[in-house]
């Protein structure tokens, strides 16, 4: 569903992503791990069409993200790390705008809005202007917006930032549930326990390079550290002593 | 699974949707969506804008009807004042120039220059606004991740920038043109076509600015040096051309037939028939004086303007569609990451220079100066306005003024001072007023630090007055030198400098004080903060302050050097203008003191009590 082939991206002299190749299957939860500045957000921004790669190809559902951006983003629901909502719209109006953008017919859009409002329990504030929302409320509306058009791929950049423990639980359950229904989940996170709990596979980024791709168990086997926590394995992989692959 | 709040209330709403939701939560992804056509996208955005507008109006009406009424009242008052001024001016011109063809030619030439200037200024202004709207807006970050054509995003942002750039033009241009029509008793067709002509014209420079912005940003990241070089050479070429026009002629005595002829000849630059400004001015004058044939000609020009106004936005959308995604990525996601910024020599020097101040004031002041220096949007507009004014003052020097005109020179000197003051008031409103609101959003940094909040406000005041005082004083000095006032009345030069300092202190205090008293902590954009109620009020009060400080000493100063007397004034002023001048100057100092003290006091109180959000 998501295919990344030999992608390279640099900001001036700084290499943000180097020779990245990756494939994520339908119904899979994939978590991208890495320290700050490792290249996770750059990868996500390339996948959602906010950045263009200097070299290589990215495709979603068979659509080239650079050449067929609209077709690719039509399949995607995106939860950014810094959500943007129109201050002068209510949460419900914002969701309606997103449904309109994805060309949903009026009745299907109405049904989808009701579903998302119920799912994320937005009914208490859905008809208030979003400028009055707390960060957590905004984050929940952004989640609802990402799911309103029933996307085949959901891309999340640090999805748990600003959520309370209840909300985190809801999101975790939701992501697993959607994956079981065939939705591809691609997320970046600093929370290793989240990746360990819900991801089918993880990718560990370090200095713009993917150091490892596979399950947590595979990582343990590769590093010959049975029973080691993901935190320990991650720190070993991303320590300064661990030199990037060429 | 629960989020927050009262369960009973929530469950009633949950029941309503629970059946549909439960079914949907457990069903696989379905394809109930489609890619929108370009027309569909336009409809969705149109709906969005309508919803936002409705929401803003409803909120304005429900929560701040007094504010809405005040804004409406002030706007109408401003329009009426401008109308009366233009009406009187055109009336005076009509009685002074008795030869109708000469008057028509002179008005046409002035219109050509006026609209050409607006064409240039609107292009620059719209270009800057378009840049901010498209490359600095978090909304675009959202829109680019949706399945929407990039050209539609470029088009929507163009509409936004055009409205922001042109409303002032329509507000300022309409009383001028209505006044001209009424003084000259033009037929009704003139008034009927006025607004369509103005709007069609305004779209053209806005599109030029947007196209320049898109092209420059698309080229700049890869060929930055070359792009900046080409732009620099173009600007230098225009500057040299203007210098040649202005200085390529000998000095002349003003207000003579030869002077009029030479001036009109110089203004031929604005009469190029490819210029939209010429189409507009010709259409207006044809409507006013051309009779039935003129109406047809004016309609022809309206068609030309309209077709351009419809065509150019399409080009903006097309270029935006081709360049936006790549240039947005290059620009918004850091191409300068490898360039470290170090504390410069200026900061170190300032740190030493400001040693006598309290550490808090000094640190906040240096921080503000650093932000100002690193934000070209702020100083470039300042530079543009003051550059144009300098050019005008230097131009004034080309005339040979006889000794008998000292009174007039004094009056013009005060008028120039007024222009500097009014431009300064727009600057302080636009850039100084939002300082506290912007600080307010990051107020936790200073609010939680062990600093005296009064020091923060003082630092803002010192920052504002220091960056405004020096350029204004220099500009007014340039004006006085150009008017040869230094040789005639050095006392006037000193007076102008003193008033300039008063203006700088008063306007800065008003902007800082009112900015703290009427902050907008929700709005991240300084431009929108300045355009709100607090900014509008500050702008109006600042304009009143400028007039109140300049007019009282200007009148007796004129009488001191003029042989004529103003009949409307009491005889005592005409007989002893020197005493009145000194008294008026003292009054100006008093007004400045009051205008600075009151807002700062209100600001101190509000800022001290401000809560962390």
């Amino acid at each position: 569903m998501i295919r990344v082939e030999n992608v390279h991206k640099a900001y001036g002299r700084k290499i943000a992503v180097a020779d990245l190749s990756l494939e994520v299957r339908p119904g899979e939860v994939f978590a991208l791990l890495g320290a700050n500045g490792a290249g996770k957000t750059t990868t996500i921004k390339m996948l959602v069409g906010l950045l263009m790669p200097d070299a290589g190809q990215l495709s979603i559902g068979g659509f080239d993200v650079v050449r067929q951006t609209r077709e690719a983003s039509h399949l995607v629901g995106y939860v950014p790390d810094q959500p943007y909502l129109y201050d002068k719209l209510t949460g419900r109006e914002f969701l309606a705008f997103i449904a309109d953008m994805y060309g949903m017919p009026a009745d299907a859009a109405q049904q989808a809005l009701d579903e998302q409002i119920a799912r994320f329990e937005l009914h208490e504030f859905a008809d208030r202007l979003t400028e009055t929302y707390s960060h957590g409320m905004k984050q929940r509306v952004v989640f609802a917006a990402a799911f309103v058009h029933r996307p085949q791929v959901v891309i999340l950049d640090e999805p748990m930032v600003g959520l309370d423990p209840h909300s985190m639980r809801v999101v975790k359950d939701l992501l697993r549930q959607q994956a079981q229904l065939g939705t591809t989940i691609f997320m970046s996170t600093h929370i290793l326990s989240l990746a360990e709990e819900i991801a089918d596979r993880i990718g560990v980024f370090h200095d713009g390079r993917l150091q490892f791709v596979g399950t947590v168990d595979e990582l343990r086997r590769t590093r010959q550290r049975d029973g080691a926590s993901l935190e320990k394995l991650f720190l070993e992989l991303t320590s300064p002593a661990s030199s990037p692959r060429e | 699974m629960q989020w927050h709040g009262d369960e009973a209330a929530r469950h009633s709403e949950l029941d309503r949707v629970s059946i549909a939701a439960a079914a949907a939560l457990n069903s696989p992804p379905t394809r109930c969506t489609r890619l929108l056509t370009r027309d569909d996208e336009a409809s969705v955005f149109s709906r969005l804008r309508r919803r936002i507008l409705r929401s803003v109006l409803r909120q304005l009406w429900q929560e701040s009807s007094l504010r809405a009424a005040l804004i409406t009242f002030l706007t109408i008052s401003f329009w009426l004042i401008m109308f009366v001024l233009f009406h009187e001016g055109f009336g005076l011109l009509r009685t002074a120039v008795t030869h109708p063809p000469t008057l028509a030619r002179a008005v046409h030439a002035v219109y050509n220059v006026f609209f050409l200037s607006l064409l240039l200024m609107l292009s620059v202004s719209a270009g800057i606004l378009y840049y901010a709207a498209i490359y600095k807006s978090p909304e675009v970050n959202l829109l680019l991740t949706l399945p929407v054509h990039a050209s539609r995003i470029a088009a929507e942002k163009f509409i936004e920038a055009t409205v922001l750039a042109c409303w002032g033009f329509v507000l300022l241009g309409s009383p001028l043109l209505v006044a001209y029509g009424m003084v000259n008793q033009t037929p009704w067709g003139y008034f009927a076509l006025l607004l369509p002509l103005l709007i069609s014209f305004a779209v053209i420079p806005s599109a030029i600015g947007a196209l320049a912005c898109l092209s420059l940003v698309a080229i700049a990241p890869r060929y930055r040096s070359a792009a900046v070089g080409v732009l620099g050479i173009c600007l230098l070429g225009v500057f040299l051309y203007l210098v040649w026009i202005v200085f390529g002629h000998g000095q002349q005595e003003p207000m003579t037939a030869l002077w009029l002829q030479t001036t009109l000849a110089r203004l031929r630059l604005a009469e190029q028939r490819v210029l939209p400004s010429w189409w507009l001015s010709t259409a207006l004058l044809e409507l006013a004086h051309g009779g039935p044939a003129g109406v047809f000609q004016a309609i022809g020009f309206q068609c030309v303007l309209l077709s351009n106004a419809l065509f150019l936005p399409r080009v903006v959308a097309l270029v935006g569609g081709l360049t936006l995604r790549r240039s947005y990525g290059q620009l918004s996601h850091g191409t300068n990451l490898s360039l470290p910024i170090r504390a410069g020599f200026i900061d170190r020097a300032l740190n030493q220079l400001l040693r006598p101040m309290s550490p808090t004031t000094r640190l906040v002041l240096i921080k503000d100066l650093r932000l100002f220096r690193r934000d070209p949007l702020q100083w470039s507009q300042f530079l543009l306005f003051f550059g144009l004014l300098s050019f005008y003052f230097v131009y004034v020097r080309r005339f040979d003024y006889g000794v008998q005109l000292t009174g007039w020179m004094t009056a013009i000197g005060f008028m120039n001072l007024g222009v500097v003051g009014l431009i300064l008031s727009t600057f302080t409103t636009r850039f100084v007023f939002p300082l506290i609101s912007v600080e307010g959003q990051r107020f936790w940094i200073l609010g939680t630090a062990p600093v005296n909040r009064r020091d923060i406000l003082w630092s803002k005041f010192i920052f504002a007055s220091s960056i405004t005082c020096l350029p204004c004083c220099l500009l007014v000095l340039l004006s006085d030198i150009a008017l040869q006032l230094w040789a005639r009345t050095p006392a006037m030069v000193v007076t102008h400098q003193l008033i300039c300092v008063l203006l700088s202190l008063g306007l800065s205090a008003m902007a800082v004080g009112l900015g703290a008293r009427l902050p907008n902590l929700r709005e991240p954009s300084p431009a929108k903060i300045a355009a709100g109620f607090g900014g509008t009020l500050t702008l109006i009060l600042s304009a009143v302050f400028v007039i109140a400080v300049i007019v009282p000493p200007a009148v007796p100063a004129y009488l001191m050097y003029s042989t004529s007397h103003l009949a409307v004034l009491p005889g005592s002023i005409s007989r002893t203008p020197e005493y009145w001048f000194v008294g008026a100057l003292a009054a100006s100092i008093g007004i400045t003191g009051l205008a600075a003290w009151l807002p700062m006091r209100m600001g101190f109180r509000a800022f001290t009590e401000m809560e962390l959000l």
Side-chain angles (χ1 to χ4, degrees):
Chain A
M1 181 53 74
I2 297 175
R3 183 187 286 268
V4 180
E5 289 175 282
N6 307 112
V7 164
H8 184 89
K9 178 74 187 173
Y11 300 123
R13 287 180 195 163
K14 179 177 166 54
I15 294 170
V17 175
D19 197 27
L20 174 66
S21 292
L22 187 66
E23 195 169 345
V24 185
R25 295 179 293 272
E28 185 178 15
V29 178
F30 187 88
L32 210 49
L33 310 176
N36 290 331
K40 305 185 299 293
T41 297
T42 299
T43 305
I44 282 184
K45 283 185 170 165
M46 285 193 285
L47 278 172
V48 297
L50 283 173
L51 281 175
M52 290 195 178
D54 297 335
Q57 274 197 320
L58 301 107
S59 67
I60 290 177
F63 296 110
D64 187 304
V65 173
V66 175
R67 281 194 291 269
Q68 298 163 294
T69 314
R70 287 174 65 235
E71 288 80 356
S73 57
H74 188 239
L75 305 177
V76 175
Y78 173 46
V79 177
D81 53 346
Q82 291 173 330
Y84 173 81
L85 300 174
Y86 292 94
D87 281 352
K88 301 297 176 190
L89 289 186
T90 65
R92 191 186 296 277
E93 286 171 338
F94 179 73
L95 294 179
F97 167 68
I98 298 294
D100 282 347
M101 270 295 173
Y102 284 90
M104 294 179 80
D107 52 346
Q110 187 54 53
Q111 190 190 347
L113 252 65
D114 285 341
E115 286 166 19
Q116 299 311 322
I117 287 170
R119 172 182 282 172
F120 292 99
E121 298 190 16
L122 311 177
H123 44 270
E124 280 179 15
F125 53 85
D127 294 311
R128 277 168 31 198
L129 293 182
T130 64
E131 67 184 9
T132 63
Y133 291 5
S134 67
H135 181 75
M137 289 169 171
K138 284 183 181 173
Q139 193 74 351
R140 281 151 67 181
V141 173
V142 169
F143 267 103
F147 283 95
V148 79
H149 61 286
R150 322 208 74 215
Q152 294 180 26
V153 176
V154 177
I155 297 175
L156 309 98
D157 194 358
E158 299 293 350
M160 300 303 177
V161 174
L163 293 182
D164 58 35
H166 276 301
S167 311
M168 283 190 190
R169 185 70 262 158
V170 172
V171 169
K172 285 177 195 172
D173 290 346
L174 174 69
L175 295 180
R176 276 288 2 142
Q177 187 184 47
Q178 288 298 306
Q180 280 163 13
L181 296 170
T183 307
T184 304
I185 310 290
F186 187 98
M187 65 175 172
S188 76
T189 183
H190 283 302
I191 306 172
L192 300 177
S193 60
L194 172 72
E196 202 162 12
E197 188 180 343
I198 68 165
D200 296 312
R201 285 192 304 152
I202 59 167
V204 181
F205 249 114
H206 182 51
D207 280 348
R209 292 171 190 277
L210 200 57
Q211 305 283 37
F212 170 82
V213 180
T215 64
V216 177
D217 285 338
E218 283 170 354
L219 179 58
R220 288 193 185 105
R221 281 200 295 276
T222 310
R223 308 288 297 185
Q224 297 176 330
R225 300 290 298 272
D226 284 345
S229 68
L230 178 57
E231 184 185 14
K232 198 158 193 161
L233 293 167
F234 173 80
L235 291 174
E236 280 178 12
L237 264 176
T238 58
S239 66
S242 171
S243 59
R245 287 180 313 190
E246 289 302 323
Chain B
M1 291 183 286
Q2 290 174 4
W3 296 89
H4 300 289
D6 178 48
E7 270 188 45
R10 205 167 55 236
H11 283 169
S12 64
E13 173 68 18
L14 273 173
D15 289 344
R16 193 173 71 74
V17 293
S18 59
I19 298 169
L25 289 172
N26 297 312
S27 59
T30 55
R31 308 299 309 136
C32 58
T33 60
R34 66 182 172 86
L35 280 173
L36 296 179
T37 62
R38 288 177 194 274
D39 288 344
D40 290 339
E41 285 176 0
S43 307
V44 172
F45 274 102
S46 168
R47 255 199 313 278
L48 173 73
R49 301 294 170 214
R50 278 203 308 274
R51 273 179 181 159
I52 290 175
L53 183 66
R54 210 167 46 225
S55 170
V56 169
L57 292 177
R58 194 190 304 128
Q59 199 177 25
L60 201 63
W61 180 250
Q62 287 173 351
E63 293 173 20
S64 36
S65 49
L66 181 67
R67 182 178 293 194
L70 191 61
I71 289 174
T72 312
F73 170 74
L74 291 174
T75 308
I76 293 171
S77 304
F78 175 79
W79 196 96
L80 285 174
I81 290 167
M82 296 304 289
F83 171 76
V84 170
L85 285 175
F86 287 129
H87 193 274
E88 290 300 306
F90 280 125
L92 188 72
L93 196 66
R94 204 168 179 222
T95 48
V97 184
T98 48
H99 188 237
T102 307
L103 178 64
R105 210 188 144 206
V107 169
H108 197 186
V110 170
Y111 269 19
N112 282 335
V113 172
F114 176 65
F115 289 121
L116 179 60
S117 311
L118 282 176
L119 186 85
L120 294 172
M121 287 172 81
L122 279 178
S123 300
V124 174
S125 171
I128 293 170
L129 285 167
Y130 192 67
Y131 175 82
I134 208 154
Y135 293 109
K136 296 287 173 190
S137 158
E139 183 192 0
V140 174
N141 216 41
L142 163 74
L143 296 177
L144 283 173
T145 64
L146 299 175
V148 58
H149 289 93
S151 56
R152 172 47 50 193
I153 301 171
E156 289 299 322
K157 288 289 158 186
F158 172 71
I159 295 170
E160 191 181 311
T162 303
V163 171
L164 273 174
C166 298
W167 71 267
F169 162 68
V170 175
L171 190 67
L172 191 70
S174 56
L176 171 92
L177 297 176
V178 170
Y180 182 79
M182 291 187 76
V183 168
N184 291 285
Q185 295 168 341
T186 56
W188 65 268
Y190 174 86
F191 297 102
L193 270 181
L194 210 54
L195 210 55
L197 278 167
L198 280 182
I199 292 171
S200 306
F201 170 76
V203 174
I204 296 170
S206 186
I208 293 170
L211 279 171
C213 167
L214 284 171
S215 311
L216 204 62
V217 173
I219 296 166
R222 248 185 283 175
Y223 308 105
R224 181 175 304 216
S225 310
V228 171
V230 169
L231 189 71
I233 289 168
C234 289
L235 289 174
L236 187 68
V238 171
F239 179 73
L240 290 176
Y241 181 66
L242 289 172
V243 168
W244 177 77
I245 287 175
V246 173
F247 297 102
H249 306 270
Q251 282 197 340
Q252 287 169 347
E253 194 177 334
M255 307 297 177
T256 60
L258 180 64
W259 168 80
L260 183 65
Q261 273 184 351
T262 317
T263 304
L264 291 177
R266 283 182 205 174
L267 300 181
R268 280 210 186 106
L269 173 72
E271 287 179 21
Q272 303 298 320
R273 297 188 173 207
V274 290
L275 291 172
S277 48
W278 187 82
W279 306 338
L280 177 63
S281 58
T282 308
L284 288 167
L285 292 175
E286 285 294 338
L287 275 170
H289 306 292
V295 173
F296 280 109
Q297 263 208 317
I299 290 172
F301 281 118
Q302 165 63 28
C303 291
V304 176
L305 282 168
L306 187 63
S307 56
N308 277 278
L310 293 172
F311 171 69
L312 287 174
R314 295 265 171 180
V315 181
V316 172
L318 182 73
V319 174
L322 292 172
T323 61
L324 180 59
R325 283 189 187 276
R326 184 168 291 280
S327 59
Y328 183 84
Q330 285 174 332
L331 197 73
S332 306
H333 295 91
T335 49
N336 285 331
L337 288 179
S338 59
L339 297 174
I341 297 172
R342 294 186 187 90
F345 163 76
I346 303 171
D347 295 332
R348 286 198 298 274
L350 272 172
N351 202 28
Q352 289 300 323
L353 196 72
L354 305 175
R355 278 267 166 229
M357 292 181 181
S358 77
T360 310
T361 309
R362 191 171 73 237
L363 289 173
V364 176
L365 186 60
I366 291 174
K367 183 225 25 154
D368 283 339
L369 282 166
R370 201 176 274 165
L371 294 180
F372 180 75
R373 212 171 63 224
R374 290 174 189 169
D375 185 1
L377 197 66
Q378 297 203 34
W379 50 259
S380 63
Q381 292 192 21
F382 199 42
L383 213 61
L384 187 73
F385 273 127
F386 278 73
L388 286 171
L389 269 183
S390 316
F391 194 77
Y392 153 68
F393 292 153
V394 172
Y395 181 78
V396 168
R397 188 172 164 71
R398 302 309 302 157
F399 300 118
D400 181 23
Y401 306 107
V403 180
Q404 71 278 12
L405 289 176
T406 304
W408 275 110
M409 293 308 101
T410 309
I412 292 174
F414 272 100
M415 207 174 70
N416 288 347
L417 188 60
V419 172
V420 171
L422 289 172
I423 288 183
L424 188 62
S425 70
T426 61
F427 176 81
T428 50
T429 305
R430 168 65 182 80
F431 296 110
V432 179
F433 175 81
L435 278 179
I436 298 296
S437 298
V438 173
E439 194 74 74
Q441 290 153 22
R442 300 167 185 85
F443 192 53
W444 62 271
I445 301 172
L446 295 174
T448 53
V451 296
N452 186 345
R453 292 189 184 182
R454 293 174 72 90
D455 285 352
I456 298 171
L457 224 55
W458 274 121
S459 72
K460 302 283 178 199
F461 168 71
I462 295 167
F463 163 72
S465 46
S466 59
I467 61 162
T468 53
C469 193
L470 188 65
C472 288
C473 286
L474 284 175
L475 206 57
V476 171
L477 188 66
L478 183 69
S479 155
D480 287 349
I481 291 169
L483 288 166
Q484 299 153 21
L485 278 179
W486 185 253
R488 293 159 193 257
T489 64
M492 276 305 122
V493 179
V494 176
T495 305
H496 288 171
Q497 291 297 307
L498 172 67
I499 293 178
C500 214
V501 173
L502 294 179
L503 288 176
S504 181
L505 293 174
L507 291 172
S508 300
M510 287 170 81
V512 171
L514 291 172
R517 178 66 187 83
L518 301 165
N520 180 354
L521 303 178
R522 291 190 182 281
E523 178 56 61
S525 161
K528 289 181 182 171
I529 293 168
F533 170 75
T536 311
L537 187 69
T538 306
L539 184 64
I540 289 163
L541 291 177
S542 299
V544 172
F545 166 71
V546 170
I547 293 165
V549 167
I550 292 177
V551 171
V555 175
Y558 169 73
L559 292 174
M560 277 158 59
Y561 299 102
S562 173
T563 49
S564 60
H565 298 282
L566 298 176
V568 290
L569 294 174
S572 58
I573 300 182
S574 299
R575 281 194 298 276
T576 54
E578 294 82 4
Y579 296 118
W580 284 94
F581 175 72
V582 173
L585 210 53
S588 295
I589 294 170
I591 290 168
T592 306
L594 195 68
W597 178 72
L598 263 179
M600 283 299 279
R601 187 168 174 268
M602 287 192 292
F604 277 135
R605 189 171 292 175
F607 195 59
T608 310
E609 291 166 4
M610 188 186 277
E611 290 179 348
L612 292 173
L613 293 176

